[in-house]
Amino acid sequence: MIWSSFLAAALLLQGTSATPIKRATDTISKRAAKAKFTVKDTKAFAGATELKTSNSVLSLKTAGVKAKGSSALHNAVRASTGRTLLIPSEEGAGYSVNITFGGKTFEVILDTGSSDLWLAESGVKCVDVDMDPVATAECGFGPLASASFQDGAIANENFNISYGDGEFLTGVLGYENVGVANITVDKQEVALVNYAYWEGDNVTSGLMGFAYPTLTSAYRGTDASVDNENTTAVQYTNWIFSAIDQGLIDPMFSLAIERGSNGGGGQLALGGLPSLAFNHTFTSTPLKIIELTPHAVEAKNYSYYTIIPDGFLLSGEEETYYGFQEFSEDPSTTYPVIVDSGTTLVYLPERVADDVNALFDPPSVYIEEEGVYENYCDAVPPTFAIRINGTDFYISGAELLLTGELGYDEYTGGCVTGVQPMDGIYILGDVFLKNVIAVFDIGASEMRFAPHEKY
Ligand SMILES: *[C@@H]1O[C@H](CO)[C@@H](O)[C@H](O)[C@H]1NC(C)=O
Ligand SMILES: *[C@@H]1O[C@H](CO)[C@@H](O)[C@H](O)[C@H]1NC(C)=O
Ligand SMILES: *[C@@H]1O[C@H](CO)[C@@H](O)[C@H](O)[C@H]1NC(C)=O
Ligand SMILES: *[C@@H]1O[C@H](CO)[C@@H](O)[C@H](O)[C@H]1NC(C)=O
Ligand SMILES: *[C@@H]1O[C@H](CO)[C@@H](O)[C@H](O)[C@H]1NC(C)=O
Ligand SMILES: *[C@@H]1O[C@H](CO)[C@@H](O)[C@H](O)[C@H]1NC(C)=O
Ligand SMILES: *[C@@H]1O[C@H](CO)[C@@H](O)[C@H](O)[C@H]1NC(C)=O
Ligand SMILES: *[C@@H]1O[C@H](CO)[C@@H](O)[C@H](O)[C@H]1NC(C)=O
């Protein structure tokens, strides 16, 4: 309760008059100016395929777990900024799908910010954050997979993945038939987890990553403690790329994530567009090869779904458009962002996030103790859009302030806002994705977006 009054006092101290937008010529944020990347454009695939509605669509369900995707990314964020990709509540973050694994159905988190498919296997040993053994139930896994593969585990390989909030899992790799919607990849390389510190929801049994094979987490050898992502990683083709390589689907998938009022689910469409009504006018922008985290292979090939937006449109009492150059000392600086269904919020350069939060009525407050901007749950958000290749994609007020259980902070009594500051790594999470139909066009090495119909 003391935290409740903390937020109230902080808001009171700051006053309720809207802070004017900082002008583009204001002191440049040191943090934002620091971000510099080398961008490489390489076409890995044959080219654009006509967009048509997919025959293989399946529903996404809101999962009762923390957003856990983007393992490498979360770790890098934590290492470089001391921040975690944080939401205060554990409810309703992340989206899950049903898959078949060796003919049995399992529910898994769908993550466009990582690349492995793993399931917890029966006999999995659970530990707490200090690696002390705990009961398996403490991990909160859904049904466990049987601890075997078609041809036994792959010799001399281990699986090792960890998450920014401290969760970690290790296991073995092997081959199994894996079905998503009505597409089955035979003998897909997958991981079975036998050792975990995990905070699950008792429903989902694992996670399925749809990012590029570059980010897979298999390593040579059987001693996970010496795994090194630059030197002992053994890249393998993950499910979505197997389905494409084998010609089972056109080289793309798309996501239509819906907000709570619509059931809080959505659609995953393989090889085409979701089957729902929307205006098929798409804006496309190239995917980029950029080493976002210190991980040598990211400099050589596609890894995350990384794009470079033009800038941002923000309006409160007056309208301001930000190009990236306007808040960087170096006009050649670019601000890559990743499109990540496994992250709940939108993380942008400090300067932009500060301004978005300043234009709420009343202005939001940065809660140092939690490292997050919050506001009253009935505050009025500004108008905010991300400009991608000339098109402004508005983020609805419904997402700019997370008023549901997901965003409610019981310590302060406040609600988390949708756009948060980050240093060097920027992410368009579900707060953005709920406003668009997103096509991950692997064939054309492009992201394509269309506004979601009003809903
Ligand atoms: C998946 O189902 C749809 C419609 O139910 C069908 O048109 C399509 O051919 C099926 N695809 C495969 C690979 O079976
Ligand atoms: C998976 O299937 C089960 C059983 O039909 C169903 O209860 C559950 O909601 C499904 N999950 C998803 C993510 O569609
Ligand atoms: C999962 O089940 C355990 C009991 O087996 C319970 O203690 C825990 O709170 C449940 N977790 C969730 C997220 O429901
Ligand atoms: C996973 O790999 C890291 C190195 O990347 C290592 O520090 C860690 O100990 C490994 N995990 C386990 C459980 O061995
Ligand atoms: C679809 O969007 C485009 C671009 O905004 C617009 O010009 C067009 O009129 C829209 N079509 C329909 C049927 O609403
Ligand atoms: C904008 O779209 C055009 C047409 O698809 C494409 O050629 C161009 O590379 C895109 N530019 C940016 C900056 O996204
Ligand atoms: C991997 O390589 C990058 C350079 O691309 C380096 O910054 C990083 O420290 C290396 N990581 C390890 C674990 O050696
Ligand atoms: C880059 O990734 C694609 C897709 O996984 C793969 O086909 C290609 O061989 C990779 N290229 C390099 C240089 O690793």
Side-chain angles (χ1 to χ4, degrees), residues 35-114:
K36 262 198 207 142
F37 301 92
T38 318
V39 180
K40 216 169 110 180
D41 284 299
T42 316
K43 294 277 180 209
F45 284 89
T49 311
E50 188 197 345
L51 295 184
K52 51 181 192 288
T53 301
S54 167
N55 281 326
S56 303
V57 177
L58 79 169
S59 55
L60 294 167
K61 206 176 79 180
T62 307
V65 293
K66 290 187 281 182
K68 298 170 193 285
S70 324
S71 58
L73 185 72
H74 284 230
N75 287 335
V77 166
R78 193 172 54 155
S80 75
T81 69
R83 285 172 165 148
T84 44
L85 302 177
L86 174 128
I87 46 154
S89 159
E90 300 196 1
E91 296 304 313
Y95 292 86
S96 59
V97 292
N98 274 331
I99 63 164
T100 60
F101 182 89
K104 284 184 68 181
T105 299
F106 293 93
E107 202 164 314
V108 295
I109 307 289
L110 177 76
D111 181 21
T112 66
S114 68

Side-chain angles (χ1 to χ4, degrees), residues 347-359:
Y347 293 86
L348 291 175
E350 195 164 332
R351 171 72 183 275
V352 179
D354 286 352
D355 287 1
V356 173
N357 281 287
L359 278 188

Side-chain angles (χ1 to χ4, degrees), residues 278-281 391 451 453:
F278 67 99
N279 182 334
H280 285 208
T281 306
T391 304
E453 296 286 281

Side-chain angles (χ1 to χ4, degrees), residues 131 160 168 170 195 224-225 227-228:
M131 296 192 183
N160 176 356
F168 50 83
T170 56
Y195 178 80
S225 67
D227 292 343
N228 178 314

Side-chain angles (χ1 to χ4, degrees), residues 392-408:
D392 291 323
F393 289 94
Y394 288 90
I395 299 183
S396 155
E399 272 78 56
L400 285 174
L401 187 61
L402 282 74
T403 55
E405 203 184 346
L406 177 59
Y408 180 69

Side-chain angles (χ1 to χ4, degrees), residues 404-434:
E405 203 184 346
L406 177 59
Y408 180 69
D409 182 347
E410 58 184 0
Y411 297 109
T412 61
C415 280
V416 168
T417 66
V419 178
Q420 300 288 338
M422 186 56 75
D423 184 4
I425 295 170
Y426 313 120
I427 307 171
L428 299 178
D430 300 328
V431 155
F432 171 76
L433 285 170
K434 284 178 187 175

Side-chain angles (χ1 to χ4, degrees), residues 37 39 41 283-290 292 302-312 324 334-340 348 386-389 391 393 426-428 432-433 436 438-441 445-449:
F37 301 92
V39 180
D41 284 299
T283 299
S284 60
T285 193
L287 287 164
K288 300 290 184 182
I289 295 172
I290 301 178
L292 287 180
Y302 295 101
S303 53
Y304 298 101
Y305 293 98
T306 309
I307 61 167
I308 299 186
D310 304 339
F312 311 92
F324 284 116
T334 58
Y335 292 85
V337 301
I338 71 159
V339 183
D340 182 12
L348 291 175
I386 295 180
R387 183 170 294 180
I388 297 171
N389 208 356
T391 304
F393 289 94
Y426 313 120
I427 307 171
L428 299 178
F432 171 76
L433 285 170
V436 297
V439 179
F440 298 74
D441 193 338
S445 303
E446 282 178 356
M447 283 301 304
R448 299 167 185 245
F449 299 103

